[in-house]
Amino acid sequence: MDDFGQLLTQWTQIELDVKKLQEQIKQKREQRLKMSEKAIQFIQENDLKDNVFKISSLQRDVQLKHTKIQEPLTYKFLQQSLDHYFEEHANRSDSYHKENLVSYIKSNRKSQSKSTLDILKNPHM
């Protein structure tokens, strides 16, 4: 039974350590987000979008990365798209629907562009 008590004590200590580390990670992520927003704003305002920034002390390069994020395919979105599609194309043939339905749904998905900082591996390493 002493082994079991020791096991639970060690487990509890590890669990508390993990929670403490997770809180520290959360704080670091919040700091990183604030710094990223400031850096991205500076890069965009000064038209430095295509530059690669060398961080020689860390042997890394940093670059602005653009990502296109598309709206997820939810049931609600699919239902609305299908409703609109068949309202607009009610008198079309089945073969027309087969050829055009998927592209119609794709073209109606909303997308947005997101800019982030990306750490590149230094080619000189």
Side-chain angles (χ1 to χ4, degrees):
M1 203 58 162
D2 286 338
D3 289 344
F4 180 70
Q6 189 175 15
L7 175 70
L8 281 181
T9 301
Q10 289 174 343
W11 179 88
T12 304
Q13 183 60 55
I14 291 172
E15 183 67 17
L16 293 172
D17 291 347
V18 167
K19 288 182 184 215
K20 189 178 195 180
L21 290 170
Q22 286 174 333
E23 183 58 35
Q24 290 174 354
I25 289 171
K26 179 182 175 187
Q27 291 171 359
K28 291 286 185 188
R29 285 188 175 135
E30 290 170 357
Q31 289 174 340
R32 179 184 64 187
L33 179 63
K34 289 176 186 175
M35 291 176 179
S36 290
E37 289 171 350
K38 286 181 183 179
I40 291 169
Q41 182 178 3
F42 181 86
I43 290 169
Q44 290 174 336
E45 287 174 356
N46 292 283
D47 199 26
L48 302 171
K49 295 175 188 90
D50 298 325
N51 290 18
V52 174
F53 305 95
K54 298 192 180 304
I55 313 297
S56 51
S57 63
L58 300 175
Q59 297 181 330
R60 294 287 187 267
D61 296 342
V62 175
Q63 183 176 12
L64 188 66
K65 178 180 167 185
H66 302 285
T67 308
K68 184 178 177 181
I69 302 170
Q70 295 220 296
E71 176 181 43
L73 286 175
T74 62
Y75 288 120
K76 181 179 177 182
F77 170 77
L78 286 173
Q79 184 66 52
Q80 290 172 344
S81 296
L82 291 171
D83 288 346
H84 289 130
Y85 176 83
F86 284 108
E87 283 175 18
E88 292 176 18
H89 303 96
N91 298 327
R92 300 290 184 147
S93 67
D94 286 349
S95 62
Y96 177 87
H97 296 314
K98 287 177 187 177
E99 292 177 23
N100 295 290
L101 182 58
V102 172
S103 59
Y104 179 87
I105 291 171
K106 281 179 160 181
S107 67
N108 283 295
R109 276 175 82 185
K110 295 176 187 169
S111 65
Q112 64 187 73
S113 181
K114 183 178 179 182
S115 298
T116 57
L117 294 176
D118 190 26
I119 298 174
L120 306 173
K121 290 185 180 177
N122 194 330
H124 307 293
M125 288 182 66

